[in-house]
Amino acid sequence: MCYVYMRIFSGIQPTNILHLGNYLGAIQNWVRLQETHEALYCIVDLHAITVRQKPEELAQNTRRVAELYLACGLDPERVTIFVQSHVREHTELAWILNTVTKMGELERMTQFKDKATQHSENINAGLFTYPVLMAADILLYGTEGVPVGDDQKQHVELARNIAERFNKWFGETLVIPKPLIQEEGARIMGLDDPTKKMSKSAPTPNNYIALTDDAETVRSKLKRAVTDSGTEIVSGATKPALTNLLTIYALLRNTTVKAAESHFEGKGYAAFKSELADTVVDFLMPLQERLKKIEANPKTIEKILKKGAKDAVKIAAATMEKVRERVGLLAI
Ligand code: TRP
């Protein structure tokens, strides 16, 4: 076995309940990476407030995401789990990086264009500079690899460009990060619309399976999931719905989509969906058991988040000291 110990950083916004797409597209991979990497996994609450959040729900969701990180198998003994707003250096570096980022670069970000359309009543400056805060998250920790879904690749590339420009202007300071894109499962699609990513902000909950859905809800959502025309259980470009469902099956069973196709050869949609539902339920039930135990003990999660923030600050503060000096901010 080859140990790499590359430093990696990733984060999820505490905007709502986590779903199977978050798990299969990100967290499952993070759990694997914790074995061979020095990982920091963040709950990015400052990113969440770029769209309106109910204050009383935001704090609750932040805690819930932390609990789900643990229930999914992230091990606080091996990785640093923390809340973005607990490490003040994120906003400080973001401000400095704002002055190294071009308006045109931010205008080209597809997520900004999408969100500005979705939230046309609240196109705030934070939504526009969101990728700069994300660059700060990454660059504060000397991050080498950023495990993200392919929708975030553009943001990581911007972080690279910002770091390179900073280094050119002020001298070698920041580590240039690389996106680590997972091949299969990087994008789990909506159950009701396989052309769009599974999303907690979709118009109907039939779009996603929440990690906290009970068995009955899972079965009913999968029964309702759209399929493609034809009768065979096969993947492919003309079968977006089946490809998505087969991918979910394969990832949860630790097998390949090809192997799943042969397993379902000669079987119908009903049999496929019912076996898929069993697979999802078998995965979720133990996870929810773990979650219940974690929730029953709120002090534990608070301790983990405090320790995470303390460890993160150590790295972040050292980076900021260098950055301040390079930029020429007066030290006293
Ligand atoms: N923008 C990411 C998303 O919406 C979340 C995020 C914020 C992130 N900061 C990050 C991901 C740093 C990776 C690294 O999914």
Side-chain angles (χ1 to χ4, degrees):
M1 180 126 196
C2 152
Y3 285 93
V4 191
Y5 289 120
M6 177 202 247
R7 187 175 288 162
I8 58 174
F9 181 104
S10 199
I12 290 183
Q13 298 187 50
T15 39
N16 217 320
I17 204 64
L18 298 189
H19 53 67
L20 214 49
N22 297 122
Y23 179 76
L24 296 174
I27 303 172
Q28 187 184 43
N29 192 31
W30 297 4
V31 173
R32 280 193 214 111
L33 290 168
Q34 72 183 348
E35 306 289 329
T36 46
H37 292 67
E38 187 191 335
L40 294 115
Y41 296 128
C42 190
I43 301 150
V44 290
D45 52 351
L46 297 172
H47 276 109
I49 57 172
T50 57
V51 305
R52 284 296 288 274
Q53 302 295 329
K54 295 201 179 84
E56 65 281 9
E57 282 178 14
L58 180 63
Q60 243 175 19
N61 284 337
T62 301
R63 177 188 287 273
R64 175 46 78 85
V65 172
E67 290 166 347
L68 278 166
Y69 275 7
L70 298 192
C72 286
L74 290 181
D75 175 1
E77 300 283 322
R78 310 183 89 126
V79 303
T80 303
I81 296 173
F82 72 105
V83 177
Q84 185 185 33
S85 66
H86 293 172
V87 179
R88 308 292 198 260
E89 283 79 357
H90 288 250
T91 41
E92 187 185 1
L93 182 59
W95 176 258
I96 294 175
L97 297 181
N98 265 327
T99 67
V100 182
T101 309
K102 316 263 180 200
M103 294 286 284
E105 286 177 310
L106 295 177
E107 278 158 5
R108 281 198 293 278
M109 295 292 114
T110 55
Q111 186 170 306
F112 170 69
K113 289 189 240 174
D114 289 350
K115 286 205 178 170
T117 318
Q118 272 169 34
H119 304 278
S120 54
E121 77 302 338
N122 181 25
I123 307 178
N124 60 78
L127 196 61
F128 188 62
T129 59
Y130 174 114
V132 182
L133 179 60
M134 179 162 161
D137 297 344
I138 296 167
L139 300 176
L140 259 184
Y141 298 99
T143 303
E144 298 163 270
V146 188
V148 281
D150 57 4
D151 63 314
Q152 294 297 316
K153 200 170 157 201
Q154 198 186 25
H155 286 162
V156 180
E157 268 152 16
L158 177 68
R160 280 175 73 87
N161 293 339
I162 294 175
E164 277 165 2
R165 193 171 308 133
F166 185 100
N167 289 349
K168 206 163 119 209
W169 287 0
F170 299 110
E172 267 330 292
T173 314
L174 302 169
V175 175
I176 311 298
K178 267 204 239 21
L180 302 176
I181 310 284
Q182 193 191 343
E183 300 280 312
E184 210 163 71
R187 247 166 115 84
I188 297 295
M189 314 307 275
L191 299 179
D192 59 345
D193 178 2
T195 63
K196 292 205 188 86
K197 209 171 134 168
M198 183 176 279
S199 165
K200 45 208 172 182
S201 45
T204 133
N206 286 328
N207 171 280
Y208 59 84
I209 291 174
L211 295 180
T212 46
D213 277 347
D214 60 24
E216 203 187 320
T217 310
V218 169
R219 287 183 202 286
S220 120
K221 285 183 178 178
L222 284 173
K223 234 181 234 153
R224 265 178 235 184
V226 300
T227 47
D228 305 297
S229 56
T231 52
E232 275 174 283
I233 313 296
V234 286
S235 66
T238 57
K239 309 265 181 187
L242 284 172
T243 303
N244 189 40
L245 297 177
L246 281 163
T247 302
I248 295 174
Y249 179 88
L251 286 169
L252 287 178
R253 293 245 170 182
N254 222 343
T255 178
T256 61
V257 168
K258 278 272 150 284
E261 283 175 346
S262 22
H263 175 75
F264 289 110
E265 211 180 309
K267 293 186 190 155
Y269 282 169
F272 169 50
K273 280 183 160 186
S274 137
E275 202 175 323
L276 175 60
D278 289 342
T279 304
V280 174
V281 169
D282 284 349
F283 163 70
L284 288 182
M285 293 307 117
L287 186 151
Q288 291 174 12
E289 278 304 310
R290 291 194 294 275
L291 183 63
K292 246 191 246 153
K293 285 200 191 119
I294 296 163
E295 279 171 341
N297 207 340
K299 283 272 173 292
T300 308
I301 200 81
E302 282 163 25
K303 251 204 228 146
I304 289 169
L305 292 178
K306 268 195 189 143
K307 161 106 182 6
K310 208 170 139 207
D311 291 344
V313 163
K314 276 186 213 144
I315 312 175
T319 306
M320 275 321 297
E321 201 176 316
K322 245 194 285 172
V323 165
R324 282 192 211 108
E325 187 205 313
R326 291 291 162 114
V327 174
L329 303 177
L330 177 67
I332 47 165

